[in-house]
Amino acid sequence: MKRRLMILMAAAVPLAASLTPVAVNAATRDGGTTAATTCAAVPVSAPPGTAVVSVKAVAKAGGDFTFPSTPGLPQNPPINAVPAWCDINVVVTHPGANDTVTIKVSLPQDARNWNGRFQATGGSAYSAGDLSDLSVPLISAVKGGYVGAATDAGVKTGLDASWGLTPDGEINTGLLTNFASRSVHDMAVIGKDVANKFYHRTVRYSYFTGCSTGGRQGYAEAQNYPTDFQGILANAPAIEWNRFEIATLWSQAVYNEEKVAPSQCELAAFNTAAVAACDTLDGVKDGVIDNPQDCTWDARRLVGTRVVCEGKEITITKAVADAVNKIWAGPVSPSGKKLWYGQNKGSAFNYIANPGAPFQVPDQWAKYFVTKNPSFDSTKLTYQTFTQLFTSATKQYDSIIANNNPNLSRFAKAGGKLLTWHGQSDQLIPTQGTVDYRKHVNATLGGNKRVNNFYRVFLLPGVDHCGTPLFSTGPLVNPGADLDALVNWVEKGHAPATLPVTSVDGKTTSNIHHYPR
C-alpha cells in the first residue's frame, strides 16, 4: 500500500523537474551588476491572521544534484550547475489553530542569478509541498533563476492523513484549512516579501506551479486569492476533492456487489482490447485512444476470451466484464443517479481498482475526515453505503476543499492566467472532472472564447497522472514547455494555442491543441 502511494507522490515530482527554464533577463540593479547577497534572515511580514514564530537562514553551496532512485518509479534526472542559494525558513502559526507551519524560500544568493520572478510550488497526496534538502521543485526553481518557495501547511507528511483528527476525535479544522487553501496564500505573501527584502527589489512576476494536490492548490488560489499570482500552472488538478476521492473507492463497492475479484492481469486485458478497438477513431493507428469519450467499446465483448496470467489461463466472465463497465462508467446511486466520473478507457487499473486493497489517499480521507473513524473499512462498501459515504463527504467538506467555484472573474480582472494540462489516461484523477469544471467556467463567464483569454486546458491523449513514463502511452509535454508557455502568456501576451509534446520513446514530436480541440 505504501509503495502505491509513493508512486502517486513520485508522479508529481517529474513535473517539478521539468520546471527548469533557462534564467531569462537576469536582474540587475541600477542597470549594472550586483554583488552576492549575504545569506541572512530578513524581517518578515505575514498576512492577517498569521503570526511569524521564527526566521532562519541557511546557505546552500549549489553545484550538481542527483536524486535517489526507487525501483519501479521514474528517475528524476540530475540538475547540474545550480548556483549557490540561500534557504530562508519561516515558521508561522495561526492563533487559535495550535499549528506550526514551515515555509521555505530558496533564493539565488547572487542577485545576478535571479530573473526577478517568484515561483511557489505545490504538493501531492496529503503533502502541501516538498521542503526537503533534495527538493526537486525548489532546486529546479533556483536553477531556472527563480526564487522558489514551498510550504508544509503544518501537516508534515503526504503518507497519511491522521493529522485530520484531534486526540479527542474531532476534525482538526486549523490544519484542514491550511491544507485546503490558507497555506499557499501565506506562502505567496511571505515568499514575495522575503524576496523583496532579500534583494531590496520588488518581485516582477509571481507564478505557482503544481500537479495533483498542487493542481488543486493552484485552482484554490485563482478562486480565493486572485491577486497572489499572475500565472498559475495547475496540472491534473485534484479539484472536486470529495467527489473524485470517494469515487476512487467505487471499485470496492462494485467488486463486493458483483462478487468478483479480478487480478490486474485480467483488468489489463480490458484496456488492451479497448485501445485496439478505439485506437483509429482519430484516423491514426498509434496505440492511443485520442478521446476516450468517443470510445463506446463494451467490456462484455471480451466475455469468453482467454488470457494467460502468471502462467495460468483465465476465461473472462460476464460478471468481471460488468464490473469493468461499471468502473469505467463511474459511481451511481442505487437509484441510478450519476455521482461522478469514472476513469477513462485506456487508463491503468493498478491504483484505484484493486479488489480488497483500496487506494490509500481516498481510504484515509474516508477514515479520518468523512467518517472520523480510523477503523472504517472501505473494502466492505456496498452500493448503498458508498452513496451514503459520498453524500456525507460532499455535505461536510465541499465548502472547504472542493475548490470548484467557477466564477474566476476576479482572477481574470486581475490579469491572471491559468494553464492546465490533464492526461486522458490519468489513473488517479478522472480527466472529465477537469473538463466539467471548465464547462462550468464557460457557462459562468460567457463562453469558451472569452474564457480562453485567461484560462486554457490541454487534454493529453494516453498520458497518465502528472505525465510520467510509468503508464503513459501518448506523448508527454516537453520538459519546461508548459511553464515557458505560461511565462510567455503572462509577460508577452502570447496565449498558447498548442503545447509541444514528445513520445515516450523520444522518437516523435508533435503539438497538442488546447480544449476543446
Side-chain angles (χ1 to χ4, degrees):
M1 186 70 70
K2 182 176 179 180
R3 180 178 180 276
R4 284 193 285 141
L5 183 56
M6 289 296 289
I7 291 177
L8 163 66
M9 299 184 71
V13 172
L15 168 73
S18 73
L19 303 180
T20 318
V22 176
V24 178
N25 298 327
T28 60
R29 190 163 48 198
D30 299 324
T33 59
T34 56
T37 307
T38 301
C39 184
V42 297
V44 173
S45 299
T50 302
V52 177
V53 176
S54 66
V55 183
K56 296 181 180 179
V58 180
K60 297 291 184 177
D64 299 334
F65 292 86
T66 58
F67 304 93
S69 61
T70 302
L73 301 185
Q75 175 63 48
N76 285 303
I79 303 177
N80 298 320
V82 181
W85 77 90
C86 181
D87 280 339
I88 294 185
N89 299 294
V90 183
V91 176
V92 302
T93 190
H94 302 91
N98 192 31
D99 61 347
T100 301
V101 178
T102 299
I103 298 167
K104 177 181 281 189
V105 186
S106 298
L107 309 100
Q109 192 158 329
D110 191 325
R112 289 169 295 188
N113 292 322
W114 181 43
N115 60 21
R117 302 183 182 116
F118 172 74
Q119 182 188 148
T121 62
S124 59
Y126 290 108
S127 168
D130 184 358
L131 281 68
S132 66
D133 287 339
L134 284 177
S135 170
V136 174
L138 294 183
I139 295 174
S140 294
V142 171
K143 166 68 176 179
Y146 290 78
V147 168
T151 177
D152 65 9
V155 301
K156 311 303 181 186
T157 177
L159 294 178
D160 73 74
S162 58
W163 53 264
L165 288 179
T166 63
D168 58 1
E170 297 297 321
I171 293 297
N172 193 322
T173 55
L175 291 184
L176 178 57
T177 301
N178 290 348
F179 180 69
S181 58
R182 182 165 58 189
S183 63
V184 178
H185 176 59
D186 283 352
M187 172 173 53
V189 173
I190 290 172
K192 287 185 283 187
D193 183 59
V194 167
N196 294 342
K197 291 171 179 174
F198 187 83
Y199 296 114
H200 303 288
R201 246 178 336 104
T202 303
V203 170
R204 292 187 299 140
Y205 297 100
S206 57
Y207 297 92
F208 176 88
T209 59
C211 187
S212 194
T213 288
R216 180 191 60 75
Q217 291 168 313
Y219 275 66
E221 278 290 298
Q223 294 165 22
N224 301 319
Y225 303 101
T227 61
D228 277 355
F229 301 104
Q230 291 145 300
I232 294 175
L233 177 63
N235 300 326
I239 51 176
E240 293 286 7
W241 179 271
N242 281 301
R243 286 167 175 77
F244 97 81
E245 287 292 4
I246 301 303
T248 307
L249 300 173
W250 170 243
S251 63
Q252 302 303 313
V254 171
Y255 292 146
N256 289 333
E257 293 274 11
E258 305 302 321
K259 297 179 173 55
V260 295
S263 67
Q264 287 300 316
C265 175
E266 289 178 82
L267 293 171
F270 287 94
N271 267 334
T272 299
V275 171
C278 298
D279 181 2
T280 58
L281 290 178
D282 61 344
V284 179
K285 185 175 179 58
D286 55 5
V288 176
I289 302 176
D290 187 70
N291 181 15
Q293 303 312 305
D294 293 337
C295 181
T296 59
W297 186 81
D298 192 319
R300 289 174 295 184
R301 295 184 183 181
L302 211 60
V303 172
T305 301
R306 296 177 180 178
V307 296
V308 177
C309 297
E310 297 182 353
K312 297 181 180 179
E313 190 174 75
I314 299 174
T315 301
I316 300 297
T317 66
K318 181 178 181 301
V320 169
D322 286 340
V324 170
N325 273 338
K326 290 178 183 293
I327 293 171
W328 277 337
V332 296
S333 70
S335 65
K337 178 184 177 182
K338 185 176 181 62
L339 299 176
W340 197 240
Y341 301 97
Q343 62 183 111
N344 284 340
K345 292 169 184 173
S347 62
F349 289 103
N350 301 55
Y351 298 91
I352 67 172
N354 279 301
F359 189 44
Q360 190 170 345
V361 178
D363 185 54
Q364 297 223 344
W365 182 252
K367 281 180 164 69
Y368 293 106
F369 291 91
V370 184
T371 67
K372 307 175 186 64
N373 175 15
S375 298
F376 176 78
D377 188 356
S378 59
T379 68
K380 306 298 184 184
L381 285 169
T382 64
Y383 293 149
Q384 183 66 45
T385 58
F386 173 89
T387 300
Q388 293 169 353
L389 184 71
F390 185 93
T391 302
S392 177
T394 55
K395 284 184 177 180
Q396 291 185 78
Y397 298 109
D398 261 12
S399 62
I400 300 173
I401 199 170
N403 305 128
N404 61 359
N405 181 359
N407 189 351
L408 297 178
S409 58
R410 292 189 301 152
F411 181 73
K413 185 177 181 180
K417 308 299 181 187
L418 174 58
L419 180 62
T420 291
W421 58 255
H422 200 157
Q424 292 278 35
S425 289
D426 194 316
Q427 70 275 31
L428 299 177
I429 301 178
T431 312
Q432 285 304 109
T434 297
V435 174
D436 180 84
Y437 176 78
R438 172 58 194 246
K439 289 179 177 179
H440 279 87
V441 176
N442 286 352
T444 303
L445 298 182
N448 193 67
K449 186 176 181 180
R450 288 188 177 181
V451 173
N452 272 339
N453 290 328
F454 69 92
Y455 172 29
R456 296 202 172 189
V457 173
F458 293 79
L459 304 178
L460 308 184
V463 171
D464 74 353
H465 186 61
C466 289
T468 80
L470 286 173
F471 295 102
S472 293
T473 55
L476 305 176
V477 174
N478 294 352
D482 45 6
L483 183 55
D484 285 346
L486 180 62
V487 168
N488 285 331
W489 195 7
V490 168
E491 300 179 18
K492 299 179 182 179
H494 299 162
T498 63
L499 286 180
V501 296
T502 302
S503 60
V504 175
D505 61 13
K507 296 180 179 179
T508 307
T509 60
S510 57
N511 290 301
I512 297 293
H513 288 265
H514 64 83
Y515 174 87
R517 292 185 62 182

